[in-house]
Amino acid sequence: MLSEMKLRCFSCVARTLNFRKAAQELYMTPQAVNKNILELERSIGTPLFLREKNGLSLTADGSAFLHIAERFLAEYDAWLESLHDEHMLNRPLRVGCMPFEMSPIYYKACARAQAAVPPFQVVFKHYQVGELIQRMYQGELDMIIATDGWMTTVPSAKRKKLLHMPNVLLVSARNPKAKEDAKYSDFAEEALVVDAWENESREATLARFREAISILNFHPPKIIVCPNRESVYTAVSLNSGIAIGGNSYAPAVLSGDIRRYPCNLELVMSYAWATDDNRLLQYIHQYARYLALEYGKEGYQVLLES
């Protein structure tokens, strides 16, 4: 039985006259390529190659069939390209995330998107979480990525868990205890710096962090509530207190002004969308899969089902 894969294997072997080189180009094993050729020869009832000690060569029937195979593949690829054009997103996918949470893994996933069939571009927009969700519902963002706790206003049907993200303790490099071999428990008596969610009362902010404080067995003498995450990084870098957060890429962290210590807390990263456009949804979920693949390569526990 003829198939696209058998024809591609035949075309590649006919061009290279080498099973190993053809296998490398097709991302297959030489055995798999040879099997496809043998099945193709059985299907059409004639040998396509002469297999001799000094190498491969096309038979007369093989040379004639090569013209047929290449014409079919060229027309088939052109048809696929026109089909993809009809379903392609004709603009970049707009992804929203919080400032300082832009992982290099996001860009690795972008490279996968650009190499996909059909390829697509990704652009990132940075806002605080409240504005991220608002802009998504206004149609200015196609998808947003944030910790699951921020997603309470997004219906569960329009969000998916992506991965477990280890939390870290953020400590100023000025803190005398911030040594290379320090442990998070060394900072149990430090002031804690936290950020309030949009329109959240101080009491609600404190309540959110009580569970984390309990798990870590921390006893902060005071809790400093900041209006946003950027203010938290500033306060920590000035040694006003410590903070709990994800593996941030804030300038103060990257410069070494803030040091990170693993702690036994985890958060869940999720992605969300507001659209019902099936074409756009394909790109949203595809980019999420690329993210999951890249995070998985880095050893993170991925929650997104393939």
Side-chain angles (χ1 to χ4, degrees):
M1 181 177 178
L2 293 179
S3 70
E4 177 205 354
M5 179 54 69
K6 290 182 177 65
L7 293 178
R8 292 199 186 279
C9 287
F10 169 66
S11 177
C12 198
V13 174
R15 178 168 45 81
T16 61
L17 295 177
N18 187 295
F19 281 108
R20 182 179 57 81
K21 289 181 180 178
Q24 288 175 344
E25 289 189 23
L26 294 166
Y27 298 97
M28 299 171 67
T29 64
Q31 293 83 357
V33 173
N34 187 45
K35 181 182 177 183
N36 275 278
I37 297 297
L38 291 173
E39 290 176 354
L40 179 61
E41 289 177 326
R42 282 197 294 270
S43 294
I44 61 178
T46 186
L48 300 173
F49 293 97
L50 291 173
R51 295 165 173 83
E52 300 174 320
K53 289 183 178 179
N54 59 345
L56 288 175
S57 61
L58 283 165
T59 64
D61 288 333
S63 295
F65 187 68
L66 179 61
H67 295 296
I68 297 171
E70 290 190 332
R71 185 168 66 247
F72 169 82
L73 289 172
E75 292 179 1
Y76 178 71
D77 288 342
W79 176 76
L80 272 184
E81 186 175 348
S82 67
L83 185 66
H84 288 153
D85 287 343
E86 291 177 10
H87 295 86
M88 279 184 66
L89 190 65
N90 56 7
R91 58 167 175 77
L93 182 71
R94 302 164 302 180
V95 180
C97 54
M98 291 181 67
F100 314 131
E101 300 298 335
M102 268 299 294
S103 163
I105 291 174
Y106 288 18
Y107 295 110
K108 291 180 181 179
C110 284
R112 280 183 175 269
Q114 291 168 5
V117 180
F120 61 99
Q121 301 290 322
V122 180
V123 295
F124 295 101
K125 307 287 185 180
H126 304 129
Y127 305 101
Q128 296 298 328
V129 166
E131 191 171 358
L132 280 178
I133 295 173
Q134 180 183 357
R135 288 178 179 268
M136 180 181 72
Y137 281 120
Q138 290 174 346
E140 297 176 33
L141 294 172
D142 301 315
M143 67 183 293
I144 60 174
I145 304 167
T147 58
D148 203 46
W150 291 106
M151 300 288 198
T152 53
T153 60
V154 180
S156 59
K158 292 201 170 185
R159 69 177 191 265
K160 281 191 175 184
K161 293 180 179 180
L162 193 59
L163 66 136
H164 277 299
M165 176 72 69
N167 261 315
V168 293
L169 203 66
L170 303 172
V171 181
S172 172
R174 303 181 188 183
N175 191 312
K177 299 177 186 176
K179 298 177 182 177
E180 189 173 339
D181 59 348
K183 299 178 180 179
Y184 75 88
S185 55
D186 296 336
F187 306 96
E189 306 295 331
E190 301 281 338
L192 182 66
V193 184
V194 302
D195 53 325
W197 290 1
E198 190 174 0
N199 300 322
E200 184 180 51
S201 68
R202 178 180 175 83
E203 292 72 22
T205 302
L206 296 177
R208 277 195 296 114
F209 283 91
R210 285 194 186 107
E211 182 180 2
I213 293 170
S214 174
I215 293 172
L216 295 175
N217 197 25
F218 276 14
H219 308 283
K222 64 177 178 178
I223 297 179
I224 303 168
V225 179
C226 294
N228 51 51
R229 200 64 183 169
E230 184 175 3
S231 302
V232 169
Y233 293 124
T234 300
V236 172
S237 63
L238 294 173
N239 201 25
S240 300
I242 61 172
I244 301 167
N247 217 355
S248 171
Y249 295 87
V253 175
L254 297 177
S255 68
D257 292 340
I258 294 177
R259 295 181 181 172
R260 295 175 286 193
Y261 297 95
C263 59
N264 61 347
L265 286 176
E266 282 191 338
L267 47 81
V268 174
M269 293 292 292
S270 296
Y271 71 100
W273 62 94
T275 184
D276 292 315
D277 183 331
N278 287 329
R279 180 182 62 170
L280 182 54
L281 283 170
Q282 290 178 0
Y283 287 89
I284 290 170
H285 296 312
Q286 188 61 52
Y287 181 69
R289 285 192 287 271
Y290 293 150
L291 273 177
L293 285 169
E294 293 298 335
Y295 271 110
K297 285 165 58 177
E298 297 293 328
Y300 288 85
Q301 183 184 353
V302 173
L303 300 174
L304 182 66
E305 295 180 359
S306 58

